[in-house]
Amino acid sequence: METAVQDERELYESMRAKLERVVPEFELKYKASLAHQINLLKRERNAVILGHNYMEPALYASIPDFTGDSLELCRKAASTDADIIVFCGVRFMAETAKILNPGKTVLIPSPKAGCSLAESITAQDVRELKARFPGVPVVTYVNTYADVKAESDYCCTSGNASKVVQAIAGDRVIFLPDEYLASNVAKETGKRIIFPTRTPRPGAAEAPIDYEIIGWKGRCEVHEKFSVEDIANIRRQFPDTVVLAHPECSPEVVAAADFSGSTTAMIRFVERSQAPRYLLLTECSMGDNIAAANPRKEMLRLCSVRCPHMNEITLEDTLEALKQTRYVVEVPEETRLRALRAVNRMLAIG
Ligand code: 13P
Ligand code: SF4
């Protein structure tokens, strides 16, 4: 049965009810009009819109059929029967949707929506690591491009990284590319970690043998900026603040926080907790989205730190994506099939 599209006035009213504390009214009117056009086109073209938790509030509250963290959106991408998937997130997420849906058209509204972690490693880097550590299974964070996933045995997200590492038989894993997520997983699972130099000296011993995780020095350009000092300053000013940190933050920041988890885990934590004030060490648009959904709770965030890639995704470009069928995400079939193995193994673990 076809669902009715809300008329523009109704959509504006529902956006205003959710967002009046975080988005000015004139902006809401303009964005409701764009969102209405997108929702009409979405139905006409049998498209589904997946929206990451980092999307800006007006987009987040109006056009996605599903919102969530990387793992949840991966599951939604695996089960959709729409003809077109519009991914309001960054390129590696849209690629993962394509890996799972070769027969569907996958669109990303901006070709500029990259990710510093995905840029930090190439397929050749992974091949070289595998040659240096033969037989050691490779786990790659979902924040990588398809050719890197294709070199991997398992994929993982921030929502299941420790679970995936623990599910793998054997003494060692290569965990790529996020230095901090790897260190946080090592801490959580009680494993010792090393970061081998990029180019080993000829004839030099590889490394001491008492390690179980081999990491890589990639970083998220947003989460690496948060410091223990930021937390101390906020706690001095507002002692009752509950601090939440994404696991892409350094282990020191995660240790100084009260909770660490995926973007959805942080959203659920605030929903379920009674504290009056929170500091979110993650992308700031998500702070706006949580503030809008929890009007009695105050969200403190360091808004100088925005993800420039997630911020490339706008309502204007999403409308153009549907009008012009742009930008189509493609993954070569041979790469896709190898990457799919790693993604499916992750989905099977949970
Ligand atoms: P989540 O999987 O927790 O949503 O994180 C994705 C991401 O890119 C965080 O920076
Ligand atoms: Fe990549 Fe960091 Fe942006 Fe997430 S916040 S998409 S990890 S650059």
Side-chain angles (χ1 to χ4, degrees), residues 48-51 65-88 92-107 142 336 340 343-344 346-347:
V48 67
I49 298 185
L50 305 181
D65 298 282
F66 302 101
T67 54
D69 63 17
S70 310
L71 182 60
E72 291 170 315
L73 295 181
C74 198
R75 291 206 181 103
K76 290 294 175 198
S79 63
T80 182
D81 57 8
D83 297 324
I84 299 177
I85 300 172
V86 181
F87 217 116
C88 289
F92 73 80
M93 296 178 177
E95 272 192 1
T96 308
K98 184 67 185 179
I99 290 166
L100 288 158
N101 293 284
K104 297 188 195 302
T105 301
V106 176
L107 303 177
V142 72
R336 188 190 74 78
L340 181 63
V343 173
N344 276 341
M346 167 185 83
L347 291 174

Side-chain angles (χ1 to χ4, degrees), residues 20-237:
E20 64 185 345
R21 291 172 61 251
V22 293
V23 183
E25 201 163 307
F26 67 90
E27 185 182 323
L28 269 182
K29 277 212 171 90
Y30 165 70
K31 290 191 169 172
S33 163
L34 286 169
H36 177 61
Q37 294 173 62
I38 292 169
N39 287 340
L40 287 173
L41 259 181
K42 184 170 72 169
R43 188 180 58 179
E44 193 181 308
R45 305 210 55 195
N46 190 25
V48 67
I49 298 185
L50 305 181
H52 187 261
N53 290 327
Y54 285 167
M55 290 297 101
E56 62 95 358
L59 187 157
Y60 185 78
S62 60
I63 60 167
D65 298 282
F66 302 101
T67 54
D69 63 17
S70 310
L71 182 60
E72 291 170 315
L73 295 181
C74 198
R75 291 206 181 103
K76 290 294 175 198
S79 63
T80 182
D81 57 8
D83 297 324
I84 299 177
I85 300 172
V86 181
F87 217 116
C88 289
V90 291
R91 181 167 187 93
F92 73 80
M93 296 178 177
E95 272 192 1
T96 308
K98 184 67 185 179
I99 290 166
L100 288 158
N101 293 284
K104 297 188 195 302
T105 301
V106 176
L107 303 177
I108 184 157
S110 167
K112 295 190 205 141
C115 168
S116 67
L117 278 171
E119 301 297 334
S120 73
I121 192 157
T122 65
Q124 181 59 25
D125 292 328
V126 187
R127 285 192 287 272
E128 284 172 19
L129 275 174
K130 288 198 291 191
R132 284 167 72 182
F133 301 94
V136 180
V138 179
V139 180
T140 48
Y141 191 28
V142 72
N143 297 36
T144 46
Y145 293 123
D147 57 343
V148 167
K149 289 187 178 77
E151 295 297 333
S152 316
D153 300 292
Y154 298 83
C155 220
C156 75
T157 74
S158 64
N160 61 13
S162 293
K163 200 171 168 186
V164 170
V165 166
Q166 281 168 322
I168 298 171
D171 298 335
R172 287 180 182 167
V173 294
I174 297 172
F175 188 104
L176 309 168
D178 186 351
E179 171 186 350
Y180 288 159
L181 179 64
S183 303
N184 287 319
V185 167
K187 210 162 163 191
E188 203 175 312
T189 56
K191 295 185 188 292
R192 285 159 301 206
I193 185 162
I194 57 152
F195 294 93
T197 52
R198 277 189 182 229
T199 345
R201 274 180 292 117
E206 188 52 75
I209 50 166
D210 61 338
Y211 58 86
E212 292 128 335
I213 297 184
I214 297 150
W216 185 257
K217 295 227 166 187
R219 296 222 188 136
C220 162
E221 67 191 273
V222 174
H223 293 91
E224 71 171 349
K225 298 214 173 70
F226 298 120
S227 68
V228 172
E229 203 188 341
D230 293 332
I231 298 179
N233 286 340
I234 292 282
R235 289 205 200 277
R236 229 183 336 268
Q237 197 179 352

Side-chain angles (χ1 to χ4, degrees), residues 318-331:
T318 307
L319 180 58
E320 287 309 311
L322 273 168
K323 275 187 183 164
Q324 301 183 38
T325 316
R326 77 174 196 196
Y327 295 93
V328 178
V329 175
E330 299 287 5
V331 176

Side-chain angles (χ1 to χ4, degrees), residues 6-13 29 32-34 36-37:
Q6 264 181 324
D7 72 32
E8 190 175 324
R9 180 81 213 164
E10 279 170 358
L11 180 60
Y12 167 70
E13 293 298 345
K29 277 212 171 90
S33 163
L34 286 169
H36 177 61
Q37 294 173 62

